[in-house]
Amino acid sequence: MSFLWGVMGGPSAGPQPSGAETIQKLCDRVASSTLLDDRRDAVRALKSLSKKYRLEVGTQAMEHLIHVLQTDRSDSEIIGYALDTLYNVISNDLEEEEQEENLTKVDDLGSQFTEIFIKQHENVTLLLTLVEEFDFHVRWPGVKLLTSLLKQQGPQVQQIILVSPMGVSRLMDLLADSREVIRNDGVLLLQQLTKSNAAIQKIVAFENAFERLLDIVTEEGNSDGGIVVEDCLLLLQNLLKNNNSNQNFFKEGSYIQRMKPWFEVGDDNCGWSAQKVTNLHLMLQLVRVLVSPTNPPGATSSCQKAVFHCGLLQQLCTILMATGVPADILTETINTVSEVIRGCQMNQDYFASVNAPSNPPRPAIVVLLMSMVNERQPFVLRCAVLYCFQCFLYKNQKGQGEIVSTLLPSTIDATGNSVSAGQLLCGGLFSTDSLSNWCAAVALAHALQENATLKEQLLRVQLATSIGNPPVSLLQQCTNILSQGDKIDRRGSKVQTRVGLLMLLCTWLSNCSIAVTHFLHNPANIPFLTGQIAENLGEEEQLVQGLCALLLGISIYYNDNSLENYRKEKLKQLIEKRIGRENFIEKLGFISKHELYSRAAQKPQPGFSSPEHMMFDHEFTKLVKELEGVISKAIYKSSEEDKKEEEVKKTLEQHDNIVTQYKKVIREQDQELEELKQRITTLMSQNEQLQATVTQQVSQIQQHKDQYNLLKVQLGKDTQHHNSHGDTFQMNGIQTEEVSKLKEELEEWKNKHELLQGQIREKDFLIEKLKSSQLEIGTTELSSQSSRSGGLDHSNELQKELEMLRSQLQLQSAEISQLLIENQKLQVMNTTADPVLGDSGAIVTKSSELEGQLEQQIKELKSEVKALSEEKESLKQHLDSSSSTVAILQDEKIKLQQEVAESKKEQDDLLVLLADQDQKLSALKIKLKDLGVPVEDEDDIESGDQGDEDEDVEEEEQD
């Protein structure tokens, strides 16, 4: 035990052993001792030496310590010492004094020892099992050791934990630990675990991490909390950033609503602690993660709506307009509001209605623009305001119109009591601060983005430059300042002002021929541009040259040739003579090759480290990318190619007009067919209703028949009773038995009549169904003739059967009428019979009444049959007229299709001819080049031909 006394500071006789020797003896004791107390004391001694002798303990004791973790699980004390020792060996978080002493030794020790430890994956799995232990002396050092492993070798440890059964779920239990130390270190552990690993981020999120973390933030006091809130917010950012699945889960779980209390700022905003500023900054960044422009558009839009509906946007606007808010929090709030409203019409409309708490109240947009054009404001704040204004106008034509309307003469406040957004932009555009010039120019360009109507309206803006001078247009004033260049004393970069104005003019003139005409109407503009492009200037001025080339190219590409002196062909000749086409294309390429252009093209938010780097806008880079290629092609096109292109465009426009007319006719036909279908549907429904009525009436008739049969049976019984009491009597020579026989025959004829009527109705229904199906087939572009002829044959057969049934009906009706006449005669004879009949006469009277009722019902049925037949005839006439209309429409449609086919064929023939001509020309040029004849462009060929003619004339005169 002498070495232990030496380690523990006790007296020792003889020479003191070295640290390495002591550690070797302790390791042997841990490996060979059979008593748990001895092993525990040895591990405790190793722990005390692990910080000073980190290398020796790591190289000699790591294997023994891992063996202790595997075999002595029952003793929490020795497990805790072993975990602490491993943590001291692996972790680089040494105290400052020790770090200064061992600076040369600890550079890579932690990474090397971590690699040794995780080489056996079972060691990490064992550590996860120990972290599950509730004992504080085991769980806490296990959490710290696992955190250190993740810091040293993050991806490798993440993969081991990911494939371990329930690995991530075990660690999630740390957030529910009642001991704050373990819970807080568990948050730090999950921070390291979720870094740059989407799979683990999803597992952690679905293990209810959002709920637990938000509960911790609320318990700690939201933004007023300590560093634990900061750690929770950093973990939330890891889970949500660039993870669309977790963002959607966060929104669907209604967790955005729980963020609103974070931003409840009181009236007294003085004395913010550094921790509160940090917490609120992270909270704002968390909102920006959810609504970032780099997210999928659908996810961003849904989060923006959720932020508005839960009142979070209103809370952010309150912070925006509050006083006493620190500058960096105000800047981040402006950036957050910018991305919440970007491209969301509902949020943009709300932001436009926000007023600052001033007297009189001013719109928040005006207050922000005042900060943007104020050179005394911090640069970062001015960039944030510009981004906010850009996001407010992004895909917001209503907001663009409101901004431009404040510049128009009819809406300017004559009293001058209030300052409008347009006036602030104009003031910044023409101030002596170059940064204000650039910001105002970019902001005004966003007000015109993809809105040709506003570009034309802005041409009406007139500016009063000085007293006594006539007003000039805004376009003219911009070109005047651009041409003056270095003559005006400005604070900041002079190139920055010119770049801003050129970006504004390029945006204004693009896709607006009227604006191009106004620009060319000033005779000084084109000479200025050509002069700028042709000069050999320094590196800083190359950017201005490229933008001037772009503006000149836009003036050519969108030129409608309304000005005779500045037609497309003349401007191209001017470039060829004064600049040269290759030189022009080279200068145009300066823009996209510039380093600041590449930076601006990466993301919408202006992220500039200094005002000097503020040169390009993100939306302008898109415009350059779109126009650079088409302008290069337009410069090299000849006049004939332009003419051919215009002719082709006109031809295509004519064809488009013809196709549009045909489409209109087809739409009208479709509408008419839909109307006919609706009418047929209504008629079919009416027919069904009538059939239901007929069926109901047939059932009623059947009931009456049943009642009549009952009465007839009773009448037969009465007559038998009277025959048993008296002799058989005669009524004018005709017996009552004959009357009953006649009545039975009458009933049979009536039944046959009803059956025939039912058959007629069924045949009529089949005919109507066939005709309706034929009409539908006709409206769907008239099917084949074979199916139609078969349907007509079937219809003819049905018509023949109908005629036969009608003839039978007429014969039966005649027979019924004869029977009715005989029945009337019998009734007359019954009434004139001898009164001796007594009760028999009463029965006959009752029978006659029933027969009268039956006769009346038969008459009603005949009238109904007649009405139905008339209605059927009218439907047949309507069907014939509809069929004729469909046939006429089909003929017209076939004619129109033939005309479209002919026009397309003519167009294809023209294109083939053009292609053949181009091939022939190219082939002739190649042959001429092979023969040694120089081949020039068409303009040069024309000038060359004129020179050859002059030489021929001179030779003839000499001869």
Side-chain angles (χ1 to χ4, degrees):
M1 296 291 292
S2 61
F3 62 91
L4 283 176
W5 284 106
V7 171
M8 303 306 294
S12 175
Q16 296 290 333
S18 64
E21 293 174 353
T22 304
I23 292 167
Q24 181 63 42
K25 292 178 180 179
L26 289 172
C27 291
D28 293 341
R29 187 64 180 270
V30 171
S32 61
S33 179
T34 57
L35 294 176
L36 179 62
D37 293 338
D38 290 345
R39 292 199 304 274
R40 186 189 306 118
D41 292 339
V43 173
R44 185 191 300 115
L46 286 172
K47 174 188 171 184
S48 63
L49 294 172
S50 58
K51 290 186 179 179
K52 186 175 182 180
Y53 298 101
R54 183 181 176 190
L55 177 61
E56 291 80 1
V57 173
T59 54
Q60 298 181 34
M62 181 176 287
E63 184 179 352
H64 301 294
L65 293 172
I66 293 172
H67 183 70
V68 168
L69 294 178
Q70 293 172 346
T71 58
D72 294 330
R73 292 276 302 275
S74 58
D75 186 60
S76 61
E77 192 173 357
I78 191 173
I79 295 294
Y81 292 149
L83 290 172
D84 285 332
T85 306
L86 288 171
Y87 173 74
N88 292 336
V89 169
I90 290 173
S91 175
N92 288 328
D93 300 334
L94 300 177
E95 297 180 1
E96 292 182 2
E97 296 178 359
E98 297 176 353
Q99 195 169 359
E100 291 176 1
E101 294 175 1
N102 303 313
L103 187 61
T104 58
K105 300 180 182 179
V106 301
D107 289 340
D108 203 30
L109 279 179
S111 179
Q112 292 177 2
F113 287 137
T114 301
E115 191 172 350
I116 294 170
F117 184 83
I118 67 174
K119 193 171 184 179
Q120 298 294 329
H121 293 179
E122 295 80 6
N123 296 339
V124 180
T125 307
L126 175 63
L127 192 55
L128 290 173
T129 307
L130 294 172
V131 168
E132 282 188 294
E133 297 288 337
F134 185 74
D135 194 314
F136 181 81
H137 296 92
V138 176
R139 197 171 206 183
W140 187 39
V143 170
K144 292 195 296 181
L145 177 58
L146 192 54
T147 305
S148 182
L149 292 173
L150 285 164
K151 285 182 180 178
Q152 301 294 340
Q153 297 286 342
Q156 293 88 336
V157 180
Q158 283 175 344
Q159 193 61 32
I160 296 171
I161 295 174
L162 190 61
V163 299
S164 177
M166 299 293 291
V168 180
S169 301
R170 296 177 188 177
L171 301 178
M172 286 300 301
D173 294 336
L174 299 172
L175 296 181
D177 200 305
S178 57
R179 295 160 293 193
E180 291 189 1
V181 176
I182 295 179
R183 184 198 68 184
N184 298 342
D185 282 349
V187 173
L188 296 175
L189 170 60
L190 290 172
Q191 275 186 27
Q192 299 297 327
L193 182 64
T194 55
K195 277 186 178 178
S196 305
N197 194 310
I200 294 179
Q201 289 168 3
K202 291 178 183 179
I203 295 172
V204 171
F206 283 96
E207 288 285 346
N208 207 21
F210 293 139
E211 184 76 27
R212 296 182 185 181
L213 292 172
L214 292 174
D215 288 341
I216 294 172
V217 171
T218 305
E219 291 170 6
E220 295 292 326
N222 295 328
S223 60
D224 293 322
I227 195 169
V228 179
V229 174
E230 179 182 349
D231 293 336
C232 290
L233 293 171
L234 289 172
L235 178 54
L236 284 170
Q237 282 193 18
N238 283 354
L239 294 175
L240 292 173
K241 196 168 187 179
N242 299 325
N243 194 318
N244 301 327
S245 175
N246 283 1
Q247 289 174 7
N248 187 54
F249 181 68
F250 192 84
K251 177 184 69 69
E252 295 295 335
S254 300
Y255 296 119
I256 293 178
Q257 288 82 332
R258 295 188 60 179
M259 298 169 68
K260 183 183 177 184
W262 297 354
F263 304 100
E264 291 178 356
V265 179
D267 297 332
D268 186 13
N269 292 320
C270 58
W272 286 38
S273 65
Q275 187 62 54
K276 182 175 181 178
V277 171
T278 303
N279 290 344
L280 202 56
H281 198 272
L282 289 172
M283 290 172 176
L284 291 167
Q285 286 183 348
L286 194 61
V287 177
R288 292 185 66 185
V289 166
L290 295 171
V291 296
S292 173
T294 58
N295 295 341
T300 301
S301 176
S302 59
C303 289
Q304 287 173 333
K305 293 176 183 177
V307 168
F308 175 78
H309 289 304
C310 73
L312 184 54
L313 177 58
Q314 295 84 328
Q315 204 73 40
L316 293 173
C317 291
T318 303
I319 299 175
L320 197 66
M321 294 293 107
T323 56
V325 179
D328 52 348
I329 294 297
L330 182 60
T331 302
E332 190 64 22
T333 305
I334 294 172
N335 288 328
T336 305
V337 171
S338 305
E339 294 183 353
V340 170
I341 67 174
R342 187 177 189 269
C344 182
Q345 187 66 50
M346 177 174 59
N347 294 359
Q348 290 168 339
D349 292 342
Y350 171 78
F351 185 70
S353 65
V354 175
N355 289 323
S358 59
N359 192 13
R362 287 179 175 172
I365 297 173
V366 173
V367 175
L368 291 175
L369 287 177
M370 292 171 71
S371 302
M372 186 185 73
V373 298
N374 186 356
E375 55 185 301
R376 289 176 293 182
Q377 294 291 340
F379 170 69
V380 180
L381 180 65
R382 298 174 74 180
C383 290
V385 173
L386 176 61
Y387 183 47
C388 184
F389 191 73
Q390 292 173 350
C391 292
F392 171 69
L393 297 179
Y394 183 71
K395 294 183 179 180
N396 184 11
Q397 293 190 353
K398 179 182 176 184
Q400 290 176 325
E402 291 174 353
I403 297 297
V404 173
S405 66
T406 58
L407 287 166
L408 300 178
S410 58
T411 57
I412 294 177
D413 187 5
T415 61
N417 294 329
S418 61
V419 180
S420 66
Q423 291 171 340
L424 288 171
L425 291 176
C426 282
L429 194 62
F430 306 128
S431 71
T432 55
D433 177 36
S434 61
L435 186 59
S436 298
N437 299 152
W438 191 91
C439 291
V442 170
L444 198 56
H446 275 262
L448 304 175
Q449 201 79 34
E450 297 179 359
N451 200 323
T453 305
L454 296 181
K455 291 177 183 179
E456 296 177 6
Q457 290 185 3
L458 201 64
L459 297 170
R460 297 165 44 203
V461 177
Q462 299 290 322
L463 302 174
T465 54
S466 59
I467 300 174
N469 293 329
V472 297
S473 66
L474 177 61
L475 182 65
Q476 181 63 44
Q477 184 65 13
C478 290
T479 54
N480 291 341
I481 295 174
L482 188 63
S483 60
Q484 290 173 4
D486 300 335
K487 297 179 183 178
I488 303 175
D489 293 330
R490 298 183 184 278
R491 292 180 293 278
S493 172
K494 295 179 181 179
V495 174
Q496 192 175 43
T497 299
R498 299 166 71 186
V499 168
L501 289 170
L502 284 168
M503 285 197 299
L504 172 61
L505 290 172
C506 289
T507 306
W508 194 348
L509 268 61
S510 64
N511 203 21
C512 184
S513 300
I514 298 175
V516 171
T517 303
H518 279 72
F519 179 77
L520 296 175
H521 198 269
N522 185 354
N525 289 338
I526 296 301
F528 167 74
L529 292 179
T530 53
Q532 288 287 318
I533 300 168
E535 289 182 7
N536 293 321
L537 302 175
E539 186 176 351
E540 291 184 356
E541 296 292 333
Q542 285 183 351
L543 194 55
V544 177
Q545 286 184 317
L547 291 170
C548 288
L550 179 64
L551 184 59
L552 183 57
I554 290 172
S555 302
I556 294 173
Y557 186 72
Y558 292 105
N559 192 347
D560 59 357
N561 294 327
S562 57
L563 296 176
E564 184 62 30
N565 295 331
Y566 296 103
R567 296 174 65 86
K568 285 184 180 181
E569 190 58 35
K570 291 187 177 181
L571 291 176
K572 289 180 187 179
Q573 292 175 0
L574 185 65
I575 290 174
E576 179 67 25
K577 291 178 181 178
R578 296 191 180 183
I579 303 170
R581 293 180 180 176
E582 291 77 9
N583 191 23
F584 178 85
I585 299 300
E586 182 184 358
K587 297 293 176 67
L588 183 62
F590 285 162
I591 303 174
S592 57
K593 294 177 183 177
H594 203 279
E595 179 185 359
L596 297 177
Y597 174 90
S598 302
R599 289 185 189 176
Q602 292 176 358
K603 58 180 182 178
Q605 182 182 3
F608 305 109
S609 57
S610 64
E612 291 77 17
H613 293 160
M614 219 170 180
M615 287 295 174
F616 285 109
D617 172 58
H618 178 74
E619 292 297 327
F620 181 73
T621 60
K622 294 181 181 178
L623 181 67
V624 173
K625 193 180 296 184
E626 178 186 348
L627 293 179
E628 187 175 7
V630 295
I631 289 174
S632 301
K633 292 179 181 178
I635 295 299
Y636 281 102
K637 282 182 181 178
S638 62
S639 59
E640 292 184 0
E641 290 177 348
D642 287 336
K643 290 179 181 178
K644 289 178 181 178
E645 187 176 352
E646 289 178 0
E647 290 177 357
V648 171
K649 285 182 179 179
K650 289 180 180 178
T651 306
L652 292 174
E653 287 177 359
Q654 291 176 357
H655 287 303
D656 290 339
N657 292 332
I658 294 170
V659 172
T660 304
Q661 292 177 359
Y662 289 156
K663 287 181 179 179
K664 186 177 179 182
V665 172
I666 292 170
R667 285 195 196 97
E668 292 176 354
Q669 291 177 351
D670 289 338
Q671 290 178 358
E672 291 177 359
L673 292 174
E674 287 296 329
E675 291 176 357
L676 291 172
K677 286 180 180 179
Q678 290 176 0
R679 290 174 64 183
I680 291 169
T681 305
T682 53
L683 290 172
M684 288 176 68
S685 62
Q686 291 176 3
N687 189 16
E688 290 175 358
Q689 291 176 1
L690 291 171
Q691 286 179 355
T693 305
V694 170
T695 306
Q696 187 178 3
Q697 290 178 354
V698 167
S699 63
Q700 291 177 359
I701 291 169
Q702 187 64 37
Q703 291 176 1
H704 289 305
K705 285 181 179 180
D706 295 338
Q707 293 176 2
Y708 176 74
N709 290 328
L710 289 172
L711 292 173
K712 189 169 69 170
V713 171
Q714 292 178 1
L715 178 62
K717 289 180 180 179
D718 291 339
T719 52
Q720 288 176 5
H721 178 70
H722 285 288
N723 289 332
S724 64
H725 285 83
D727 297 330
T728 305
F729 61 88
Q730 292 182 352
M731 293 181 302
N732 294 329
I734 299 174
Q735 298 179 350
T736 55
E737 292 178 358
E738 294 179 357
V739 174
S740 62
K741 289 181 181 179
L742 289 172
K743 287 181 179 178
E744 287 175 1
E745 289 179 359
L746 177 63
E747 284 299 323
E748 288 177 359
W749 285 114
K750 286 179 179 178
N751 291 333
K752 290 181 180 180
H753 180 263
E754 290 295 331
L755 289 172
L756 291 172
Q757 282 186 341
Q759 291 178 0
I760 289 169
R761 283 194 295 270
E762 289 177 359
K763 299 300 181 180
D764 290 340
F765 175 74
L766 288 172
I767 290 168
E768 290 297 326
K769 188 175 181 180
L770 181 60
K771 290 181 178 178
S772 61
S773 63
Q774 286 179 351
L775 181 59
E776 288 175 356
I777 292 168
T779 56
T780 55
E781 298 202 4
L782 297 176
S783 66
S784 65
Q785 293 292 331
S786 62
S787 62
R788 236 181 5 186
S789 62
L792 289 173
D793 293 337
H794 187 54
S795 178
N796 292 330
E797 291 176 1
L798 291 174
Q799 290 287 348
K800 291 178 181 179
E801 291 180 9
L802 181 62
E803 292 297 332
M804 291 172 64
L805 290 172
R806 282 178 179 169
S807 62
Q808 292 178 7
L809 180 61
Q810 290 176 0
L811 293 173
Q812 290 174 359
S813 298
E815 291 176 357
I816 288 169
S817 61
Q818 290 179 1
L819 290 171
L820 286 173
I821 293 169
E822 292 177 0
N823 190 16
Q824 289 176 1
K825 292 179 180 179
L826 290 171
Q827 287 177 3
V828 171
M829 292 189 324
N830 283 333
T831 54
T832 57
D834 194 86
V836 178
L837 294 172
D839 294 337
S840 175
I843 292 169
V844 173
T845 303
K846 192 172 183 180
S847 176
S848 63
E849 290 177 356
L850 290 172
E851 290 173 354
Q853 292 178 1
L854 184 59
E855 182 181 357
Q856 186 176 358
Q857 289 177 358
I858 290 170
K859 289 181 179 179
E860 291 177 357
L861 287 173
K862 284 184 177 181
S863 62
E864 287 178 358
V865 169
K866 184 178 179 182
L868 287 172
S869 62
E870 291 176 356
E871 186 176 0
K872 187 184 71 174
E873 290 297 329
S874 62
L875 289 173
K876 185 178 179 182
Q877 292 177 0
H878 182 70
L879 178 63
D880 295 337
S881 61
S882 300
S883 301
S884 61
T885 306
V886 168
I888 293 169
L889 292 174
Q890 184 64 23
D891 294 337
E892 293 179 355
K893 183 177 179 181
I894 292 169
K895 291 179 181 178
L896 293 174
Q897 288 177 347
Q898 290 176 354
E899 292 177 1
V900 170
E902 290 175 359
S903 60
K904 286 183 179 179
K905 186 176 179 182
E906 292 175 0
Q907 184 179 354
D908 293 336
D909 294 338
L910 287 172
L911 292 174
V912 170
L913 288 173
L914 288 173
D916 292 337
Q917 288 181 359
D918 290 338
Q919 291 177 358
K920 290 177 180 179
L921 286 173
S922 59
L924 291 173
K925 286 181 180 180
I926 291 170
K927 289 180 179 179
L928 289 172
K929 287 180 180 179
D930 295 336
L931 295 171
V933 180
V935 179
E936 297 180 355
D937 293 334
E938 294 178 1
D939 296 336
D940 298 331
I941 291 170
E942 291 176 2
S943 60
D945 292 341
Q946 185 65 35
D948 293 335
E949 290 175 3
D950 295 336
E951 290 177 1
D952 294 336
V953 170
E954 290 176 0
E955 289 176 359
E956 289 175 2
E957 289 176 356
Q958 289 175 2
D959 293 334

